[in-house]
Amino acid sequence: MKKGIIILGSSNSYGSTQKIASLVSQKTGFPIIDLKTKHIGEFDYTFKNRGDDFLPLLKQIVENYQIIVFATPVYWYSMSGIMKTFFDRISDCLMTEKETGRKLRGMEMAVISCGCDAKLKDGFYMPFQETAHYLGMTYKADMYCVEKNGSPTINETELNNFLTAVKNE
Ligand SMILES: Cc1cc2nc3c(=O)[nH]c(=O)nc-3n(C[C@H](O)[C@H](O)[C@H](O)COP(=O)(O)O)c2cc1C
C-alpha cells in the first residue's frame, strides 16, 4: 500500500471534515496534519513568511509520502481559507524553494470535502485538479460528504471507491 498523508484544512479541528478525515485515516493508516495547529502565513511577494511552518511541512510531505489527501469543508462554495492559504504558499516553491516544489512532480492528490448542501456545486474541485495538473501531480479521486445535524453522512460505496483509489498503486 502506498504512503499517504491527509492535510486537514478546517476552521474546526473537531468538526465534520475532521470526522471524515479521521475515518479515512483509520482505513488507510495515513496520518492527519491539522493546518490549524500550524503557523502558516499568507503568500507574500517578499516571502516575509518564509520562516514559518509551511516549508518544513511541505518538505516532510514530499520526502515521505506519495499521495496527499486534502480534506476541506465547503466555505462559500470554495475550499476553506486555511486550505487556500496552503495552496497559495505552494507559490513559494515555484520561486524560492524550487527543489522542494519539483518533488511534488509525480506525486498524487485526492480531495475530501464536506458541506451542508445536498450537492456540491460544479467547479468545486477545479482548483485542486488544475493545481495537480500544473504541478505534475496525478489527481486520483474526490469524495463529498453532506453534513446533517452536525455530523457528516458517509455513503459506504463512495467511501470504498475513494479508499480504493487512494490506496492502490
Ligand atoms: C463560513 C462558512 C461558509 C459555508 N459555506 C457553505 C457553502 O457554500 N456550501 C455548503 O454546502 N456549506 C457551507 N457551509 C457549511 C459547512 O460546509 C458545513 O457545516 C461543514 O460540514 C463544516 O465542516 P467543518 O465542521 O469541518 O467546519 C459553510 C459553513 C461556514 C462556517
Side-chain angles (χ1 to χ4, degrees):
M1 192 162 69
K2 73 183 104 170
K3 281 182 81 182
I5 187 160
I6 301 168
I7 304 293
L8 173 64
S10 173
S11 291
N12 184 351
S13 292
Y14 307 99
S16 295
T17 313
Q18 185 275 339
K19 290 189 180 99
I20 310 162
S22 177
L23 180 66
V24 170
S25 174
Q26 283 166 32
K27 304 256 181 201
T28 56
F30 297 175
I32 300 174
I33 299 278
D34 180 0
L35 290 178
K36 248 184 110 63
T37 66
K38 302 285 177 189
H39 295 284
I40 299 179
E42 64 190 30
F43 172 75
D44 180 84
Y45 280 101
T46 60
F47 308 104
K48 69 173 185 195
N49 294 317
R50 59 156 62 103
D52 69 12
D53 290 341
F54 176 74
L55 192 58
L57 173 58
L58 195 69
K59 279 187 173 160
Q60 182 196 340
I61 294 170
V62 299
E63 278 159 22
N64 295 290
Y65 300 99
Q66 188 182 346
I67 179 164
I68 307 173
V69 179
F70 291 104
T72 179
V74 181
Y75 290 160
W76 291 104
Y77 313 104
S78 307
M79 72 176 82
S80 66
I82 204 167
M83 183 68 84
K84 181 61 166 52
T85 296
F86 182 91
F87 272 73
D88 285 356
R89 287 297 299 282
I90 294 174
S91 304
D92 288 17
C93 298
L94 308 177
M95 299 173 187
T96 61
E97 306 293 341
K98 292 185 185 172
E99 199 189 321
T100 303
R102 272 194 284 270
K103 290 184 182 157
L104 286 163
R105 184 166 289 281
M107 289 183 67
E108 295 171 346
M109 183 193 294
V111 182
I112 295 165
S113 60
C114 181
C116 61
D117 287 347
K119 267 193 77 185
L120 199 55
K121 301 287 182 199
D122 286 350
F124 178 86
Y125 293 117
M126 180 274 283
F128 296 95
Q129 291 163 336
E130 292 299 332
T131 301
H133 180 68
Y134 187 90
L135 295 170
M137 300 175 73
T138 303
Y139 188 85
K140 293 293 282 189
D142 44 55
M143 176 176 70
Y144 176 63
C145 300
V146 180
E147 182 194 64
K148 279 195 188 129
N149 304 321
S151 285
T153 51
I154 312 277
N155 176 307
E156 286 298 320
T157 309
E158 281 176 32
L159 175 65
N160 287 331
N161 288 344
F162 182 81
L163 293 172
T164 302
V166 300
K167 283 195 296 189
N168 285 354
E169 297 295 338

